[in-house]
Amino acid sequence: MPEPIPIKDHEKETRLVNKRLLACALLVVAITCTLIGRLYFLQVVEYDYHSTVSENNRVHVLPITPTRGLIYDRNGVLLADNRPSFNLTVTRERTTDLKGELDQVVSLLHLPAEDRALFDKALKQARHPFVPVTLFYELTEEQIAVLAVNEYRLPGLEVEAQFVRHYPMGAHFAHSIGYVGRINEKEAKTLDTVEYRGTQSIGKTGIEKFYEPELHGHVGYEEVETNAQGRVMRVLKHTDPVPGKNIVLSLDAKLQEAAEQALGDRRGAVVAIDPQTGEVLAMVSKPSYDPNLFVTGISFKEYTALRDSIDRPLFNRVLRGLYAPGSTIKPEVAIAGLDSGVVNASTRVFDPGYYQLPDVDHKYRNWNHSGDGWVDLDAAIMRSNDTYFYDLAHKLGIDRLHDYLAMFGLGERVSLDMLEEAPGLMPSQAWKRATRRQPWFPGETVILGIGQGYMQVTPLQLAQATTLIANKGIWNRPHLAKTVDGQPPVDAHPMPNIQLKDPVDWDLVSHGMQMVMHAPRGTARDAAAGAQYRIAGKSGTAQVVAIKQGERYDRLKTRERHRDNALFVGFAPAEHPQIVVAVMIENGEAGGRVAGPVVRQVMDAWLLDPQGHLKPQYASPAKVPAVPHV
């Protein structure tokens, strides 16, 4: 018998349905409240944040690179300018496949593998994805055409016209002006990220580096509205950049050319200074190099050739070259002897061709092995007599000799705006104890008196020491900038002038230097032959390798790069100096015979007019007495 069908409980089912409806309603209310709360949080609580993010997605601030300041010589000749260049740039934010696109560029333009590595290096240094990064400079017309045809395959890559540095005079001013180059990783970490946004180059050496803040200028900005693809729709705000300041150098392009011609193909340095102001008129270091190679990135092959060259064209001999000064410092040693009272103008020393310390067998040779007999101060300077200065140095002692020579800037940086300048070395007892852990020996003082031994100076320091002789102790730091944006440079740390007990001592030494050039037995009389003005000069021949006791220098048995260096310093006109010149010729051997004519040619180029006559402004204000024959 079948079981009876239960009767439905409608009231129970109604209660169940109502419960489910209530639960669903509560769930809907909860979800709605959550959505409303989230909308409130996003649109009210975090309104500022999200509106800023939204605005940044729509509006970008693009940097406008300032135009780099120009560099001129003292007469307005352009030495460093900016020229347009078509370059390949990439904006990472707008690319779809950055690696693939760069590989395509290398393939399309047939670039070497090292350029592909440079692309990655440039991108690694870039900090902002929306700022264009320059990948390749100096695109040819053919390369531009290839990129234009394939533009649809390379989103984010563009060909842009940009200004790049250019040096019209090429290698002639490479060691003074320097050059700009691409910003490297180390520099990028220290640079002002605001000022250098969009800037690809920075001063690396010379004036370009020292005056980088002035030459760079201040970055400008452009607020632009972009679409989803990153294309600029309109410019919202524009702030012009402030161009870099122009710099007028004290260098004279014509004198620079004359100095280079006088030096010829020899390795060496020439520096000319206006003693009245400290302005550097010419600065030559040979061999040189073309700074334009570095502006947009030098190839590894080209850089290796420059770096590994035996002639070292990248080496600035004027500022970095450290050489034994030889006899060129004898005028300064003479000042030390006169001012300290160790000698006077009439003090005489007998020269048999050598000098010996008391109770010592070692002989310190005079360059004139037969000797000059009895010599006083005038004759000692005129003949560059080593024996006289051996004796003078010994009487002075190392402490007084060090202190006097240091007053002339020997062994320290003397320039105002030349970063690469080496300090050189002016040895002392304390220096030797600290560096060699040895006492100072009397024989080391003796050879220091003729500019040999531990002493090392740069050609610039030699020129400055000679400038102090010409100026009678008045210090003017050598500098390359004549004006920066119309204003002369300021020496924030001036050197103290040299005050002698008797100022006549300056004239005594100057007279001896004039005899070098104009007396019948002067060591550089040939260099002054026919001069229309009086020259005060001093030759120097400094050993590169030591010669054993009892042996003589034989050039035929000495390797060319082991031969003596030739040096010469001088100023003119002697009675009212207008130019100081220092010359160093590596392995030139004879200072008076080889370096002296170079000094003369540079002085002629500055003091004489095109017809070969002394310029009126350099004429002597008074008749100069003739130098007596000795």
Side-chain angles (χ1 to χ4, degrees):
M1 189 172 178
E3 294 182 4
I5 299 173
I7 299 174
K8 291 184 178 181
D9 187 346
H10 294 286
E11 187 175 336
K12 182 178 179 180
E13 289 182 357
T14 300
R15 287 197 302 271
L16 180 61
V17 170
N18 289 338
K19 287 181 180 179
R20 290 175 177 177
L21 289 174
L22 180 60
C24 290
L26 292 174
L27 180 61
V28 169
V29 170
I31 293 173
T32 302
C33 290
T34 302
L35 291 174
I36 293 172
R38 182 60 178 168
L39 288 172
Y40 178 82
F41 179 77
L42 293 175
Q43 296 189 21
V44 178
V45 177
E46 292 196 339
Y47 171 79
D48 292 337
Y49 169 76
H50 288 286
S51 63
T52 301
V53 172
S54 176
E55 188 69 12
N56 287 340
N57 290 333
R58 181 180 69 89
V59 177
H60 291 285
V61 179
L62 302 180
I64 304 175
T65 305
T67 303
R68 194 169 182 84
L70 306 180
I71 301 177
Y72 301 89
D73 89 331
R74 65 188 301 117
N75 298 313
V77 177
L78 188 60
L79 304 180
D81 68 349
N82 306 300
R83 63 178 179 82
S85 169
F86 288 97
N87 306 327
L88 177 64
T89 66
V90 62
T91 306
R92 288 177 296 170
E93 191 180 55
R94 295 167 52 189
T95 59
T96 54
D97 178 14
L98 181 58
K99 182 179 181 301
E101 291 181 26
L102 297 183
D103 290 337
Q104 286 189 61
V105 169
V106 172
S107 176
L108 290 169
L109 301 183
H110 306 290
L111 300 178
E114 64 182 63
D115 282 348
R116 180 64 179 84
L118 290 175
F119 290 174
D120 292 333
K121 188 176 181 180
L123 289 168
K124 185 178 180 181
Q125 295 175 15
R127 299 186 178 184
H128 305 286
F130 53 83
V131 175
V133 177
T134 303
L135 298 176
F136 192 83
Y137 293 84
E138 305 288 344
L139 290 169
T140 64
E141 292 184 4
E142 182 180 351
Q143 290 172 327
I144 294 172
V146 170
L147 292 171
V149 170
N150 293 275
E151 183 179 7
Y152 70 97
R153 300 166 56 188
L154 305 170
L157 276 81
E158 292 182 344
V159 175
E160 291 187 0
Q162 299 175 339
F163 281 107
V164 296
R165 202 59 154 171
H166 177 61
Y167 302 100
M169 306 292 281
H172 295 294
F173 292 92
H175 290 292
S176 51
I177 295 176
Y179 61 85
V180 300
R182 294 183 185 180
I183 298 173
N184 57 39
E185 294 182 37
K186 182 178 179 180
E187 291 165 338
K189 294 178 181 178
T190 59
L191 289 175
D192 187 327
T193 56
V194 174
E195 284 292 353
Y196 281 84
R197 282 178 61 184
T199 299
Q200 308 296 326
S201 301
I202 191 173
K204 298 286 187 175
T205 62
I207 287 295
E208 292 278 25
K209 181 175 183 178
F210 188 88
Y211 289 105
E212 170 63 27
E214 290 80 8
L215 288 166
H216 178 261
H218 299 286
V219 68
Y221 293 97
E222 199 169 59
E223 290 186 12
V224 297
E225 186 177 31
T226 60
N227 59 18
Q229 289 73 40
R231 185 176 296 276
V232 176
M233 304 302 295
R234 61 179 176 142
V235 176
L236 302 176
K237 185 179 180 182
H238 180 91
T239 302
D240 289 327
V242 178
K245 299 175 181 177
N246 294 337
I247 294 180
V248 176
L249 300 183
S250 58
L251 296 171
D252 185 284
K254 291 183 178 179
L255 188 65
Q256 183 87 358
E257 182 181 2
E260 290 179 349
Q261 291 178 352
L263 191 57
D265 295 329
R266 293 167 292 196
R267 301 182 307 277
V270 180
V271 57
I273 297 176
D274 180 347
Q276 308 299 323
T277 62
E279 295 176 356
V280 177
L281 305 173
M283 181 171 147
V284 175
S285 176
K286 295 189 74 171
S288 188
Y289 63 94
D290 185 358
N292 290 301
L293 295 172
F294 290 87
V295 174
T296 57
I298 189 172
S299 70
F300 179 78
K301 181 179 180 181
E302 290 174 319
Y303 180 72
T304 301
L306 289 173
R307 182 195 62 194
D308 297 341
S309 171
I310 190 173
D311 292 327
R312 302 191 295 173
L314 295 175
F315 185 62
N316 189 333
R317 287 166 167 81
V318 174
L319 301 179
R320 306 282 312 165
L322 296 176
Y323 307 93
S327 297
T328 57
I329 66 157
K330 286 178 180 176
E332 289 77 20
V333 177
I335 288 291
L338 290 168
D339 192 60
S340 62
V342 170
V343 296
N344 56 45
S346 60
T347 300
R348 297 200 304 166
V349 172
F350 184 76
D351 169 34
Y354 59 88
Y355 175 78
Q356 287 180 285
L357 287 168
D359 302 322
V360 176
D361 293 333
H362 183 88
K363 293 181 179 180
Y364 298 90
R365 295 180 297 269
N366 181 24
W367 68 268
N368 179 11
H369 295 280
S370 60
D372 288 320
W374 288 101
V375 291
D376 59 9
L377 181 68
D378 256 356
I381 297 175
M382 176 191 69
R383 295 290 297 157
S384 193
N385 186 274
D386 292 333
T387 301
Y388 184 95
F389 286 95
Y390 287 145
D391 183 68
L392 176 54
H394 177 62
K395 290 176 179 176
L396 280 167
I398 180 57
D399 293 330
R400 280 192 294 189
L401 187 59
H402 169 274
D403 293 345
Y404 270 101
L405 294 183
M407 289 194 297
F408 285 89
L410 297 171
E412 62 180 280
R413 295 181 178 91
V414 297
S415 71
L416 186 61
D417 56 6
M418 304 176 211
L419 282 174
E420 290 86 8
E421 183 189 1
L425 174 61
M426 186 62 238
S428 64
Q429 293 192 69
W431 167 84
K432 193 178 181 189
R433 282 195 300 268
T435 59
R436 305 294 177 92
R437 297 183 179 179
Q438 294 176 350
W440 186 269
F441 300 109
E444 293 170 330
T445 306
V446 169
I447 61 174
L448 190 63
I450 65 164
Q452 294 285 173
Y454 297 115
M455 186 179 185
Q456 290 185 318
V457 300
T458 66
L460 181 67
Q461 290 170 6
L462 279 181
Q464 177 59 20
T466 308
T467 296
L468 286 163
I469 298 284
N471 271 352
K472 299 183 178 180
I474 298 175
W475 257 92
N476 292 311
R477 282 187 184 273
H479 55 276
L480 286 168
K482 188 176 179 67
T483 62
V484 179
D485 198 29
Q487 299 299 317
V490 177
D491 186 356
H493 305 285
M495 294 287 289
N497 295 332
I498 301 175
Q499 302 286 343
L500 299 185
K501 298 180 181 70
D502 187 354
V504 173
D505 291 344
W506 295 114
D507 298 322
L508 294 175
V509 171
S510 175
H511 186 265
M513 295 175 70
Q514 293 177 55
M515 294 177 71
V516 170
M517 308 300 297
H518 300 285
R521 297 182 64 210
T523 56
R525 58 190 178 277
D526 291 341
Q532 299 186 40
Y533 49 88
R534 298 199 64 78
I535 306 171
K538 186 69 197 74
S539 59
T541 305
Q543 292 180 355
V544 175
V545 293
I547 301 175
K548 294 180 180 179
Q549 177 73 15
E551 293 186 1
R552 291 194 178 188
Y553 176 82
D554 186 345
R555 70 181 305 273
L556 298 178
K557 295 180 180 180
T558 306
R559 293 173 56 187
E560 190 271 337
R561 291 179 185 266
H562 288 172
R563 294 174 184 169
D564 295 345
N565 292 331
L567 303 101
F568 204 96
V569 296
F571 57 87
E575 59 276 13
H576 56 116
Q578 302 296 315
I579 184 171
V580 172
V581 183
V583 172
M584 186 288 304
I585 299 177
E586 291 182 359
N587 316 118
E589 297 186 283
R593 178 171 52 84
V594 177
V598 176
V599 171
R600 169 69 185 281
Q601 290 180 56
V602 175
M603 288 180 173
D604 280 352
W606 186 251
L607 299 174
L608 303 183
D609 61 23
Q611 289 73 41
H613 303 303
L614 186 65
K615 295 177 182 177
Q617 64 267 35
Y618 300 139
S620 174
K623 186 177 180 180
V624 180
V627 176
H629 291 183
V630 177

